Amino acid sequence: MLEMHTTGEGERLRILLVEDDYMLGSATRVALADAAHAVEWVMDGGAAVAALAATAYEAVVLDLGLPRRDGLEVLKTLRGRDNLLPVIVATARDSIADRVRGLDCGADDYLAKPFSAAELLARLRAVSRRRPGGAPPVLTNGPVTLDPATRVAAMNGRSTPLSTREYALLYALMRRPGIVLSRTQIERLIYGSVNKVDSNAVEFLIHGIRRRLGRAAIRNIRGVGWILGDSEQRN
């Protein structure tokens, strides 16, 4: 059971969630997405190994009792590739011996089920802070800046805190300066593997950002997608 009474704050992460329990996986994915993290969810160890080989994630939430390949085997495979990706083991195996095995195999933290969304998010913030480089740097592109630590955006002297989804959208564009992102790409980056997204969700978020920072903050390339703008460009 996952208690979902808070979302928490912090840097937005691309997270691989590995959980074979459908109800717990669904609740965890919603909690992470509500905190503006992009989530990919797989339900067995084989799919987890394949996903980790194909995609650059920033954290993993890993169950141990998985079909096809056990969670500890997944963890050993990851560390065997010299991948230092932060891993939080979340499992019902809560004995001291199980915790020791998980940590010895390379887990960064251990979370016993049942757990709350608030505790999971706090532990993600903690392992994120321990990554090389410490606190995430302020992103800058032309007149637009975005502070991942506070989720405050600024443009031409106008600064404003963003909602979690607005932050996630602007963050995706700021990380890819000069690149046009399509609706599908933006939806995937913001919502991860969530299947159903409202048809006007992207436009709604862009409208909110433009209202706060100015219309020139994000440009639309008709029929293609959106790109970061600058103070001289209008759409």
Side-chain angles (χ1 to χ4, degrees):
M1 184 66 179
L2 179 68
E3 300 172 26
M4 298 176 58
H5 56 270
T6 184
T7 58
E9 298 177 354
E11 181 187 3
R12 177 180 181 272
L13 303 173
R14 186 169 185 82
I15 297 170
L16 178 64
L17 170 63
V18 190
E19 172 58 64
D20 68 325
D21 183 284
Y22 184 82
M23 291 186 63
L24 179 57
S26 297
T28 304
R29 181 176 64 177
V30 169
L32 293 172
D34 282 348
H37 298 301
V39 187
E40 298 289 339
W41 175 26
V42 297
M43 300 182 70
D44 66 72
V49 170
L52 288 165
T55 304
Y57 298 98
E58 293 167 301
V60 180
V61 178
L62 177 66
D63 185 26
L64 293 186
L66 298 169
R68 294 183 61 192
R69 300 184 71 169
D70 184 81
L72 288 180
E73 187 178 349
V74 173
L75 185 54
K76 290 177 183 177
T77 300
L78 179 68
R79 297 308 187 219
R81 296 169 177 167
D82 293 325
N83 190 325
L84 300 179
L85 181 68
V87 176
I88 296 177
V89 168
T91 179
R93 301 180 189 174
D94 59 355
S95 71
I96 296 298
D98 286 325
R99 291 174 186 248
V100 169
R101 278 194 293 271
L103 293 170
D104 283 346
C105 286
D108 295 273
D109 203 348
Y110 201 106
L111 190 58
K113 299 176 182 177
F115 55 85
S116 70
E119 183 177 9
L120 174 59
L121 291 166
R123 289 175 184 264
L124 281 167
R125 292 194 296 272
V127 297
S128 178
R129 286 194 298 268
R130 294 198 293 267
R131 290 183 299 166
V138 174
L139 302 177
T140 302
N141 186 271
V144 182
T145 64
L146 179 65
D147 186 347
T150 61
R151 296 185 184 172
V152 171
M155 180 172 175
N156 296 329
R158 299 171 64 178
S159 63
T160 179
L162 301 176
S163 71
T164 55
R165 297 296 187 200
E166 290 168 346
Y167 165 80
L169 192 153
L170 187 59
Y171 182 88
L173 292 173
M174 293 288 285
R175 287 288 298 269
R176 298 160 182 82
I179 296 176
V180 179
L181 295 182
S182 69
R183 179 191 306 277
T184 299
Q185 289 173 313
I186 291 174
E187 289 176 350
R188 186 172 180 81
L189 288 165
I190 294 177
Y191 298 98
S193 58
V194 174
N195 294 322
K196 187 174 179 59
V197 180
D198 290 343
S199 60
N200 65 342
V202 172
E203 285 89 347
F204 179 81
L205 294 172
I206 289 173
H207 174 74
I209 295 170
R210 285 172 162 175
R211 179 168 53 83
R212 289 171 172 81
L213 297 178
R215 186 171 178 80
I218 299 175
R219 297 171 54 212
N220 175 248
I221 308 300
R222 192 175 301 277
V224 181
W226 291 268
I227 188 173
L228 281 176
D230 62 41
S231 58
E232 301 301 322
Q233 294 167 311
R234 295 292 185 272
N235 181 63

